[in-house]
């Protein structure tokens, strides 16, 4: 089992930036960020594999950057040009297989970190 702990959430003004971090207990092939608003379905934000290949949801492309530090089992999400609609609980996820942004396929999840943009 992979333990994931997110940090870096908080409040920001529209147009501002936040950087999320996720510390993993061990390396996984694919790591991703998802977000969820209340009872709405969880949605993908971005994923990255150990080779550095990335993919972004349309809502995140051009504003968010996902990166990872394989040596330290860490995952990051740099969020720029934040919008109020980015307000959500953000989750880090990991798996040994590349599931892209299909959140139901990921086995390992963090507890989430809240991002609020006003």
């Amino acid at each position: 089992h992979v333990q994931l702990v997110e940090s870096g959430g908080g409040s920001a003004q529209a147009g501002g930036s936040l950087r999320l971090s996720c510390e993993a207990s061990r390396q996984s092939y694919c790591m991703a960020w998802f977000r969820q608003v209340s009872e709405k379905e969880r949605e993908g934000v971005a994923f990255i594999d150990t080779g550095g290949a990335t993919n972004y949801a349309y809502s995140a492309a051009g504003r968010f950057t996902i990166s990872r530090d394989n040596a330290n089992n860490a995952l990051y999400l740099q969020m720029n040009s934040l919008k109020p609609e980015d307000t959500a609980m953000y989750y880090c996820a990991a798996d040994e297989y590349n599931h892209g942004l299909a959140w139901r396929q990921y086995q390992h999840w963090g507890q989430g970190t809240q991002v609020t943009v006003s």
Side-chain angles (χ1 to χ4, degrees):
H1 183 72
V2 181
Q3 292 182 320
L4 303 168
V5 179
E6 301 97 334
S7 61
S11 297
Q13 292 191 333
S17 299
L18 283 173
R19 185 180 192 232
L20 305 184
S21 299
C22 175
E23 183 178 333
S25 58
R26 63 173 175 83
Q27 188 175 120
S28 296
Y29 175 70
C30 188
M31 299 187 76
W33 288 100
F34 294 86
R35 65 187 185 186
Q36 187 170 17
V37 179
S38 299
E39 300 302 316
K40 293 184 179 180
E41 182 164 344
R42 191 165 297 189
E43 66 172 359
V45 176
F47 76 85
I48 184 169
D49 67 20
T50 51
T54 61
N55 198 11
Y56 294 87
Y58 178 79
S59 59
R63 299 188 299 126
F64 295 1
T65 302
I66 189 171
S67 61
R68 65 189 291 172
D69 179 348
N70 292 329
N72 293 301
N73 299 330
L75 176 72
Y76 305 101
L77 185 68
Q78 178 66 44
M79 304 187 293
N80 298 328
S81 302
L82 285 165
K83 304 175 181 180
E85 49 263 45
D86 294 319
T87 296
M89 184 71 79
Y90 282 71
Y91 296 91
C92 171
D95 204 279
E96 293 310 310
Y97 299 95
N98 187 339
H99 298 302
L101 295 178
W103 68 268
R104 290 183 175 86
Q105 305 300 319
Y106 282 79
Q107 289 194 40
H108 310 292
W109 291 87
Q111 80 290 349
T113 185
Q114 177 68 37
V115 170
T116 302
V117 184
S118 59

